């Protein structure tokens, strides 16, 4: 699929550790940028009974923390369709009211999910790339308060969630184009807005 219209966009990839702040940051950007379209990776999981799923070692549970558990080719196709004018996003905000952030002649796209920038086709079309990190204890403490469908079973975090995160994090840390964000800090939005300012963003008057 053609990416001829990519230059009309600023594409922001937000990835990283579970419970690290990805969706919170993405939703803040959805509120403040104009015009903006958003994709959530968790909308692309294969059905639970899909043959694409791989069981966790020694657990009767699908491993949902690997790229193969998601239909990433469909996600990429939806992103490219949207770039080319056929909107497939999960949400968008076209409001251009006072105080919104814009870049003249550009539209914003936010692509959010735990491994979106580990998927090379999406990684390469992003203009800005961010990856959230947490330490083990903080991540586990946050995750126990989340409800998942299907729910986590005993051992899933230690055998799948955390090891897979470390694997994907190691890949990301080799690429200097990616900004690492500390999920315990509260300045991630300011970091993104600073980067956008360097690309010519301004507030709608």
């Amino acid at each position: 699929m053609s990416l001829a219209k990519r230059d009309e966009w600023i594409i922001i990839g937000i990835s990283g550790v579970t419970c690290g702040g990805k969706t919170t940051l993405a939703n803040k950007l959805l509120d403040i940028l104009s015009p903006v379209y958003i994709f959530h990776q968790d909308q692309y999981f294969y059905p639970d009974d899909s043959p694409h799923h791989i069981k966790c070692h020694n657990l009767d549970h699908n491993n949902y923390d690997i790229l193969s558990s998601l239909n990433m080719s469909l996600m990429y196709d939806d992103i490219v369709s949207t770039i080319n004018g056929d909107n497939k996003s999960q949400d968008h905000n076209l409001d251009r009211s006072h105080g919104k952030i814009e870049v003249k002649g550009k539209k914003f796209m936010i692509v959010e999910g735990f491994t979106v920038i580990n998927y090379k086709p999406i990684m390469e079309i992003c203009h800005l790339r961010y990856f959230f990190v947490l330490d083990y204890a903080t991540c586990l403490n946050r995750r126990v308060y989340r409800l998942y469908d299907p729910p986590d079973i005993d051992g899933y975090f230690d055998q799948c969630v955390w090891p897979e995160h470390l694997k994907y994090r190691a890949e990301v840390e080799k690429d200097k184009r990616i900004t690492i964000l500390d999920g315990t800090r509260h300045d991630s939005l300011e970091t993104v807005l600073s980067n956008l300012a360097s690309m010519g963003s301004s507030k709608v008057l």
Side-chain angles (χ1 to χ4, degrees):
M1 297 177 72
S2 171
L3 287 168
K5 295 187 177 182
R6 177 176 175 266
D7 289 345
E8 299 175 9
W9 295 79
I10 294 175
I11 304 171
I12 304 168
I14 302 172
S15 196
V17 68
T18 179
C19 306
K22 301 180 299 296
T23 305
T24 298
L25 174 59
N27 286 334
K28 287 179 179 178
L29 291 170
L30 181 66
D31 286 339
I32 199 171
L33 301 180
S34 177
V36 57
Y37 299 74
I38 191 167
F39 285 89
H40 296 288
Q41 187 183 25
D42 61 9
Q43 297 300 306
Y44 293 90
F45 278 109
Y46 287 112
D48 293 341
D49 59 356
S50 169
H52 291 278
H53 284 300
I54 297 171
K55 293 289 186 183
C56 302
H57 183 63
N58 291 330
L59 293 176
D60 185 21
H61 196 278
N62 291 335
N63 187 345
Y64 295 99
D65 285 82
I66 50 178
L67 273 170
S68 60
S69 68
L70 299 126
N71 191 341
M72 295 304 298
S73 60
L74 176 60
M75 185 178 190
Y76 179 75
D77 287 349
D78 285 350
I79 289 169
V80 175
S81 293
T82 303
I83 289 171
N84 291 331
D86 181 15
N87 181 21
K88 302 284 189 181
S89 66
Q90 278 92 53
D91 200 359
H92 63 280
N93 187 350
L94 306 181
D95 177 32
R96 191 178 174 271
S97 57
H98 173 75
K100 294 280 187 176
I101 302 294
E102 65 177 2
V103 173
K104 296 291 186 183
K106 301 282 188 180
K107 293 170 280 192
F108 295 101
M109 180 182 292
I110 301 162
V111 183
E112 174 270 327
F114 71 109
T115 52
V116 287
I117 58 176
N118 294 93
Y119 185 67
K120 187 174 176 61
I122 292 177
M123 168 69 180
E124 294 304 324
I125 64 170
C126 290
H127 298 90
L128 297 173
R129 306 162 181 92
Y130 304 93
F131 191 90
F132 277 95
V133 298
L134 289 171
D135 63 71
Y136 171 91
T138 303
C139 183
L140 178 60
N141 287 340
R142 290 183 181 184
R143 183 151 176 128
V144 296
Y145 291 103
R146 293 279 185 92
L147 297 176
Y148 293 91
D149 183 19
D152 287 355
I153 64 172
D154 288 346
Y156 182 71
F157 184 86
D158 283 331
Q159 293 191 42
C160 289
V161 177
W162 191 250
E164 300 295 355
H165 163 65
L166 293 181
K167 180 183 73 175
Y168 289 121
R169 176 175 173 174
E171 292 178 5
V172 162
E173 289 177 333
K174 297 174 183 176
D175 195 321
K176 300 304 180 185
R177 296 175 295 174
I178 302 168
T179 299
I180 303 298
L181 297 175
D182 182 346
T184 65
R185 294 174 59 92
H186 302 286
D187 58 356
S188 58
L189 178 62
E190 289 73 17
T191 298
V192 179
L193 294 182
S194 176
N195 293 152
L196 291 174
S198 70
M199 301 174 74
S201 71
S202 60
K203 287 188 177 181
V204 176
L205 300 177

